[in-house]
Amino acid sequence: MHDDRSLVEARLKRVLDERIRPAVYPESVPLDVAVWHAPGEPVPVAEGLAAEPEPIAVGARWGAPWGTSWFRVTGTVPQAWAGRSVEALLDLGFDENMPGFQCEGLVYRPDGTPVKGLNPRNQWVRIGAPVEGGEEVRLHIEAASNPVILDYHPFLPTQLGDKETAGSDPQYTLTRMDLAVFDETVWQLVIDLEVLGELMAELPEDSQRRYEILRAVDRALDLVDLQDVNGTAERARAQLTGVLSAPAVPSAHRISAVGHAHIDSAWLWPLRETVRKVARTTSNMTALLEDEPDFVFAMSQAQQWAWIKEHRPEVWARVKKAVADGRFVPAGGMWVESDTNMPGSEAMARQFVHGKRFFLDEFGVENDEAWLPDTFGFAAGLPQIIKAAGSKRLLTQKISWSQTNKFPHHTFQWEGIDGTRIFTHFPPVDTYNCSMKGSEIAHAARNFKDKGVARHSLAPTGWGDGGGGTTREMVAKAARLRDLEGSAQVVWETPEAFFDKAEAEYPEPPVWVGELYLELHRATLTSQAKTKQGNRRSEHLLREAELWAATAAVRAGFPYPYEDLDRIWKTVLLHQFHDILPGSSIAWVHREARATYERVAAELDAIIDGAQRALAGEGATPLVFNAAPHGRCGVPAGGAAAPAVEGGTRLTPRRGGGHVLDNGVLRVEIDERGLVVSAYDIEAERETVAPGRAANLLQLHPDFPNMWDAWDVDEFYRNTVTDLTDADEVTAGEDGASVRVVRSFGDSRVTQVLSLAAGERRLLLDTEVDWHETEKFLKLAFPLDVHAERYASETQFGHFHRPTHTNTSWEAAKFEACNHRFVHVAEPGWGVALVNDSTYGHDVTRAVRTDGDLGTTTTVRVSLLRAPRFPDPETDQGVHRFRHALVPGADIGGAVREGWRINVPERRLTGAGAVAPLVAVDDDAVVVTALKLADDGSGDVVVRFHEAHGGRARATLSAGFEVADAVATDLLERPLADAPAVERDGERIAVRLRPFELVTLRLRRA
């Protein structure tokens, strides 16, 4: 037989595009349209419905950037259409390739009842199936003219990302507003042909099945009268029955399709628009659930559920009913799909506390899985947190985006720093926006790395990022793929059902130890510095507020601010969403985030001040309040006392220019360039700075990645560097313990103060940058005279080690990585810590000594600032302040201690006398990360702590109040069924911890 495959395939494409798809709506009549443009921000639904619109014609331009327009469409169903299905086709000016990224709408009935959302892949509203004829149609559309930020030429700088700079030019052209007859038979034929055509394209060219489909399609097209598609569609469908009913082979891959709409809580749109995106999507999904009995939809991010409840009660009622029916599934158990690299220990824990508690309170549902399809890599401390929250599984997709190394598993056990293992799945479909295309289904089956030992994978199915969700077309395709020869088998299932099957068939999957590093989007550790600083500051202020409020509540009857703390925590957690904290959202989002963090800080400072004054009482005794988990200057952790006074610091001229700071512990030489050329540990007789090198060296790189400007830094940025060694001034500080350095470069200016306090083993560096560069990367370098094959980097509830070498492509790919409060490098017996108050990105490299001696040195560089132009063209322009400290001679415990100290500064008051800690621990390796009252209002004291040095710990926890009972709990403060009894002797509790073990204790007050 002659090979006419390409001929038939080309025929299928043209007939589908030009004849069959247009015949889905064979008859239509125009609707009358009027519009009212809301001034300013969106208005309540009642106001939009009551507004008096003015006529507008199809073809007219509408919609200023970020505006809201209320369209009213009216018409009458023709009598001639009686007995037929009729839909309204409402095209606001959609580009079908941009679902979620442009204009959208939510359709209401005149009484304010939501009908469904409109987006580029979902433009229809059912009027009747069938109609009687003569029905009056009146619908209202709340249309959002969100501008296109990520266009066909992506990553171009645009002022559209903030309503303050976006202008007022209309963004869209009203394209179609019609009533139309819907021919379901033709629509079903379209789905038949799409499924078969897409499957055929994925089968081997020489396969029997491919040619069976080809011949059946060819015969079906012969039966379509191109001048009467509607009259001949049924017989064409009949011709395809045989190939569509052939069952899949017994070994076919099995895909659990989960209805899904990954809605970014903010990204190329502001938070307020996400509230509406969620309402549109959930309206669509509840409607689809009513139409499709097999369909299951899952939605994560408790914050988005809370938005519906607060802002769209009419949608919320439909959602609650669908949840009760078991088909609209709360997923993930987190407040938002957060970044997991940068949130601190407690914040990461609270993501699960607030997320799981919301679903429990509202629906009685508890999630076993963390659901993070789009997060930019996963910190090594996360498995223990997931387990401590009562969950045991993780789903993500993003690791498939890694540029260099292909992850070796799709289903595996992920082991964290403490040894906790979490059953983890990466869907091999390699998208969290699966649309049931044949290419996607075939890719999932081919790509699955666990063939032979497992056969199940998951496919999150529906338009996401900007929302939209699953469409009726996707559901129809999945129905045909349920059991179809040549394809993987597809069935709608909940995440829980998938994980149950996956675990049952693969009881001993491989183990991956340590972080799940995404070899992409590394610059998200640095972009939008003020957002990151706001997050770090808020985390520590929340810790302080809980600590002092709980202490004052127990000691002085201070009213514990339960509701305020709950609300503020949720605000901070929301801003840890994986496009806010990483700095990859539009200017509007970060402008609002900066303002929000300022409000949060003011509120928390007020709580802290009130609690501390209640504790201090009346008096003139100087007191220092120490909220850090370690004592300092004679002040105990979690207590207040008069500070101890230690020695002094000498500031003397340096031979050859510059200055010397000496406090008897460290001797630091700062040369005439303002660079640290020596940091000598007097007791250890060790030099910190690598020979021939200088620390406190600012370095400037060009920074123009190949794509994803705010997200990415590509390795070639290192090829070009400018050392900023010229100083405008290097002067002695008036306090006699500091040196001030000023530098200018480009259009920017840096002012640094290097200080050495009495008796302290740390050189403090306060850096102010007035930053006005574009597409540049600013680093702060510390070449250290330490030979180290690995370094320690703090993460949640501990730290883990990364190599300093690049032996393999896996190590080489980690050229930019995340740390929390410290990086530590060491040789046996001596090490150096670099601690920070607000930065995350860094790199660590090795170099050969330059003094003729053998061996290597280690350079730690902190990432300070970037200047990408997309999606925010003014990223980070302006004044920034950073604080770092170089700590020579620090062991890992010193790194932990100094990291806390720089982030939780002391507070000074006068009062009646010292304040004893509410809870004390007698071992610095056991770090208390939270001390608070129980969330249930019982008055119980909750203390959370972990082993922080990476070894075994035995300690005593002492309560400063009478304890009636002590129990170990999960993060939600519920007793652990399998935990051993707490060893307690009155108010003293014995603590035994394995490396990095996390424990939460609930202490009932007598």
Side-chain angles (χ1 to χ4, degrees):
M1 180 179 288
H2 297 294
D3 185 0
D4 60 350
R5 176 175 46 82
S6 60
L7 188 70
V8 176
E9 290 170 355
R11 179 191 186 192
L12 172 61
K13 182 179 185 308
R14 186 176 185 193
V15 172
L16 258 178
D17 289 345
E18 297 184 21
R19 292 293 185 270
I20 302 179
R21 286 195 184 99
V24 171
Y25 293 103
E27 300 176 54
S28 63
V29 295
L31 289 159
D32 293 323
V33 189
V35 66
W36 175 72
H37 303 294
E41 284 294 278
V43 300
V45 172
E47 184 177 343
L49 293 174
E52 189 58 42
E54 296 182 354
I56 185 173
V58 168
R61 299 284 290 169
W62 72 278
W66 305 114
T68 300
S69 298
W70 282 84
F71 291 93
R72 184 186 68 195
V73 296
T74 56
T76 304
V77 177
Q79 287 288 350
W81 292 358
R84 304 171 78 179
S85 294
V86 175
E87 295 180 348
L89 300 181
L90 308 173
D91 186 344
L92 300 172
F94 295 128
D95 179 341
E96 69 171 17
N97 295 314
M98 291 190 175
F101 291 94
Q102 55 162 210
C103 59
E104 301 172 51
L106 182 55
V107 179
Y108 294 90
R109 296 188 180 91
D111 64 359
T113 304
V115 180
K116 66 189 295 284
L118 298 176
N119 64 60
R121 295 295 182 108
N122 210 326
Q123 304 175 24
W124 58 274
V125 176
R126 182 175 295 118
I127 302 302
V131 296
E132 295 179 0
E135 291 94 336
E136 295 295 324
V137 175
R138 184 185 179 99
L139 299 171
H140 297 262
I141 308 166
E142 181 190 17
S145 49
N146 301 332
V148 174
I149 306 294
L150 190 66
D151 214 332
Y152 284 99
H153 186 163
F155 317 122
L156 288 180
T158 175
Q159 295 295 327
L160 291 171
D162 195 329
K163 66 176 180 178
E164 294 185 352
T165 60
S168 58
D169 292 343
Q171 299 292 295
Y172 297 101
T173 300
L174 200 62
T175 301
R176 185 176 188 182
M177 294 276 153
D178 288 347
L179 287 177
V181 171
F182 173 65
D183 189 328
E184 185 173 358
T185 301
V186 175
W187 182 82
Q188 295 284 6
L189 177 60
V190 169
I191 303 299
D192 291 343
L193 291 171
E194 285 183 351
V195 167
L196 291 171
E198 291 166 3
L199 173 59
M200 184 167 55
E202 298 301 321
L203 294 170
E205 291 185 6
D206 59 354
S207 71
Q208 174 73 18
R209 175 64 170 162
R210 180 164 184 159
Y211 279 91
E212 286 177 355
I213 295 173
L214 185 78
R215 295 298 160 221
V217 167
D218 201 22
R219 290 191 298 269
L221 293 177
D222 288 341
L223 295 175
V224 176
D225 183 342
L226 299 184
Q227 278 67 52
D228 184 18
V229 174
N230 302 88
T232 56
E234 188 63 54
R235 67 187 190 189
R237 288 202 72 205
Q239 181 60 51
L240 298 173
T241 302
V243 289
L244 283 170
S245 60
V249 298
S251 61
H253 185 68
R254 296 178 181 176
I255 294 176
S256 297
V258 178
H260 186 239
H262 167 68
I263 304 178
D264 287 307
S265 289
W267 180 25
L268 304 180
W269 45 87
L271 287 167
R272 67 90 153 142
E273 192 55 34
T274 313
V275 175
R276 302 200 296 175
K277 284 177 173 286
V278 173
R280 297 173 198 130
T281 296
T282 53
S283 294
N284 272 352
M285 296 304 95
T286 52
L288 191 60
L289 286 167
E290 293 174 0
D291 293 342
E292 301 290 348
D294 293 333
F295 177 55
V296 175
F297 182 77
M299 190 170 89
S300 67
Q301 306 193 75
Q303 170 69 88
Q304 295 186 0
W305 294 70
W307 277 334
I308 307 171
K309 181 180 180 183
E310 178 182 358
H311 296 283
R312 289 290 192 271
E314 64 283 358
V315 179
W316 178 247
R318 291 166 55 176
V319 168
K320 286 193 71 173
K321 180 182 182 303
V323 173
D325 292 340
R327 298 174 57 216
F328 196 123
V329 182
M334 296 177 67
W335 191 246
V336 294
E337 289 182 10
S338 72
D339 179 79
T340 76
N341 286 313
M342 291 176 281
S345 303
E346 269 306 304
M348 200 72 254
R350 304 299 175 95
Q351 285 287 352
F352 288 91
V353 169
H354 287 281
K356 296 195 77 168
R357 187 170 287 146
F358 182 90
F359 292 144
L360 281 165
D361 290 347
E362 295 294 337
F363 309 113
V365 170
E366 180 156 12
N367 302 107
D368 278 341
E369 80 289 338
W371 183 277
L372 293 165
D374 191 30
T375 295
F376 309 153
F378 300 88
L382 188 57
Q384 179 174 207
I385 298 171
I386 294 173
K387 182 178 180 181
S391 298
K392 58 184 180 180
R393 297 155 167 173
L394 169 67
L395 178 134
T396 185
Q397 182 67 64
K398 202 68 172 189
I399 298 298
S400 69
W401 286 40
S402 284
Q403 288 177 312
T404 306
N405 298 286
K406 197 74 172 175
F407 198 80
H409 318 295
H410 280 112
T411 303
F412 60 99
Q413 292 278 5
W414 177 29
E415 181 178 313
I417 55 175
D418 74 312
T420 297
R421 293 181 177 180
I422 294 295
F423 189 85
T424 303
H425 180 66
F426 291 167
V429 70
D430 280 350
T431 177
Y432 47 80
N433 294 324
C434 176
S435 62
M436 286 292 140
K437 284 184 180 177
S439 56
E440 295 168 336
I441 302 305
H443 176 76
R446 283 195 299 262
N447 188 43
F448 188 55
K449 290 184 168 56
D450 305 302
K451 298 182 184 76
V453 288
R455 60 189 300 186
H456 282 84
S457 71
L458 187 147
T461 302
W463 300 115
D465 292 316
T470 318
T471 64
R472 62 182 178 183
E473 288 78 14
M474 297 175 193
V475 176
K477 285 188 172 185
R480 288 156 175 80
L481 296 171
R482 187 179 185 91
D483 192 14
L484 182 62
E485 184 184 355
S487 172
Q489 293 179 291
V490 177
V491 62
W492 294 105
E493 288 189 304
T494 65
E496 180 182 25
F498 160 74
F499 274 109
D500 286 347
K501 290 179 179 178
E503 284 188 284
E505 75 175 1
Y506 206 6
E508 295 184 10
V511 178
W512 181 270
V513 178
E515 67 181 328
L516 295 171
Y517 180 91
L518 176 64
E519 296 170 356
L520 194 73
H521 293 358
R522 303 168 181 90
T524 57
L525 303 174
T526 305
S527 297
Q528 298 288 359
K530 288 185 178 177
T531 298
K532 292 169 170 57
Q533 290 178 323
N535 173 73
R536 179 77 71 86
R537 183 185 183 197
S538 298
E539 289 180 349
H540 288 94
L541 285 173
L542 276 161
R543 181 187 189 278
E544 284 193 81
E546 290 181 338
L547 165 67
W548 299 124
T551 306
V554 174
R555 294 275 169 73
F558 181 78
Y560 192 81
Y562 291 101
E563 292 183 1
D564 289 338
L565 290 172
D566 180 79
R567 172 179 49 80
I568 294 170
W569 262 118
K570 288 172 179 174
T571 298
V572 173
L573 297 177
L574 166 60
H575 286 79
Q576 292 178 340
F577 178 76
H578 65 252
D579 278 307
I580 304 179
L581 180 54
S584 46
S585 288
I586 55 175
W588 188 348
V589 173
H590 292 288
R591 171 171 56 81
E592 289 190 330
R594 292 190 292 270
T596 297
Y597 284 131
E598 287 302 313
R599 290 194 300 271
V600 162
E603 282 196 80
L604 292 173
D605 278 331
I607 293 171
I608 292 164
D609 183 69
Q612 289 182 338
R613 291 187 183 280
L615 287 165
E618 298 295 329
T621 302
L623 296 174
V624 168
F625 280 78
N626 174 23
H630 310 93
R632 59 186 179 195
C633 301
V635 183
V645 179
E646 299 183 15
T649 298
R650 289 193 307 150
L651 175 62
T652 58
R654 176 179 177 270
R655 181 178 299 176
H659 306 273
V660 177
L661 293 168
D662 189 332
N663 66 357
V665 179
L666 296 179
R667 184 170 64 249
V668 178
E669 296 186 32
I670 301 163
D671 71 6
E672 72 283 0
R673 303 169 298 171
L675 302 179
V676 176
V677 292
S678 175
Y680 190 74
D681 181 343
I682 295 171
E683 180 183 358
E685 299 180 336
R686 279 284 304 250
E687 175 57 64
T688 305
V689 180
R693 306 287 298 280
N696 188 42
L697 174 64
L698 288 162
Q699 296 183 300
L700 193 66
H701 296 270
D703 184 17
F704 189 64
N706 289 344
M707 56 194 304
W708 297 109
D709 295 40
W711 295 255
D712 283 357
V713 56
D714 290 328
E715 191 173 15
F716 54 72
Y717 89 92
R718 290 179 169 179
N719 297 348
T720 306
V721 60
T722 301
D723 291 346
L724 303 178
T725 57
D726 294 338
D728 300 340
E729 63 176 88
V730 180
T731 56
E734 294 181 0
D735 60 359
S738 64
V739 175
R740 183 173 184 267
V741 182
V742 180
R743 307 183 195 281
S744 300
F745 59 94
D747 295 321
S748 303
R749 179 182 173 91
V750 177
T751 302
Q752 289 186 299
V753 176
L754 287 69
S755 56
L756 185 61
E760 293 188 358
R761 186 181 291 279
R762 64 172 188 167
L763 174 66
L764 200 60
L765 301 99
D766 288 293
T767 303
E768 178 181 288
V769 185
D770 189 3
W771 180 245
H772 297 284
E773 305 306 301
T774 299
E775 295 168 348
K776 295 290 192 294
F777 197 4
L778 184 65
K779 290 266 189 173
L780 181 60
F782 296 86
L784 306 174
D785 192 9
V786 177
H787 172 77
E789 293 184 0
R790 65 178 191 169
Y791 71 95
S793 173
E794 189 186 32
T795 189
Q796 294 99 358
F797 297 111
H799 60 268
F800 71 106
H801 292 93
R802 296 188 185 97
T804 60
H805 59 75
T806 55
N807 281 358
T808 72
S809 59
W810 293 88
E811 285 109 21
K814 296 183 181 182
F815 59 82
E816 184 79 5
C818 183
N819 70 288
H820 285 190
R821 287 167 291 221
F822 70 79
V823 168
H824 182 259
V825 297
E827 298 171 1
W830 194 84
V832 181
L834 183 63
V835 301
N836 71 82
D837 76 337
S838 60
T839 54
Y840 296 91
H842 69 277
D843 67 87
V844 180
T845 54
R846 296 154 61 86
V848 176
R849 296 175 65 90
T850 60
D851 60 351
D853 201 355
L854 299 177
T856 60
T857 61
T858 305
T859 297
V860 178
R861 297 200 307 164
V862 177
S863 303
L864 294 182
L865 290 165
R866 299 182 68 237
R869 301 194 64 213
F870 182 88
D872 176 4
E874 303 298 323
T875 301
D876 280 332
Q877 300 300 295
V879 177
H880 303 268
R881 295 177 180 87
F882 306 95
R883 172 167 281 195
H884 295 84
L886 184 68
V887 191
D891 59 10
I892 197 70
V896 172
R897 183 172 55 252
E898 293 297 337
W900 273 100
R901 182 176 184 182
I902 201 171
N903 280 274
V904 187
E906 61 191 27
R907 294 176 183 261
R908 294 177 179 267
L909 289 175
T910 58
V915 178
L918 189 62
V919 171
V921 183
D922 64 359
D923 184 346
D924 270 3
V926 179
V927 171
V928 175
T929 60
L931 182 61
K932 58 191 286 292
L933 296 192
D935 291 341
D936 62 7
S938 63
D940 293 355
V941 174
V942 172
V943 56
R944 186 152 34 250
F945 52 91
H946 71 287
E947 196 289 318
H949 294 181
R952 303 275 171 171
R954 298 183 65 176
T956 299
L957 183 149
S958 301
F961 56 92
E962 190 175 349
V963 177
D965 191 21
V967 295
T969 73
D970 64 7
L971 294 179
L972 276 71
E973 301 166 7
R974 302 173 299 189
L976 292 171
D978 56 349
V982 174
E983 297 180 31
R984 182 171 66 89
D985 180 8
E987 281 62 62
R988 294 165 59 85
I989 297 170
V991 173
R992 294 176 176 82
L993 299 175
R994 66 177 185 274
F996 301 127
E997 183 179 0
L998 166 65
V999 173
T1000 303
L1001 289 182
R1002 183 168 179 149
L1003 310 179
R1004 183 162 59 86
R1005 293 152 61 192

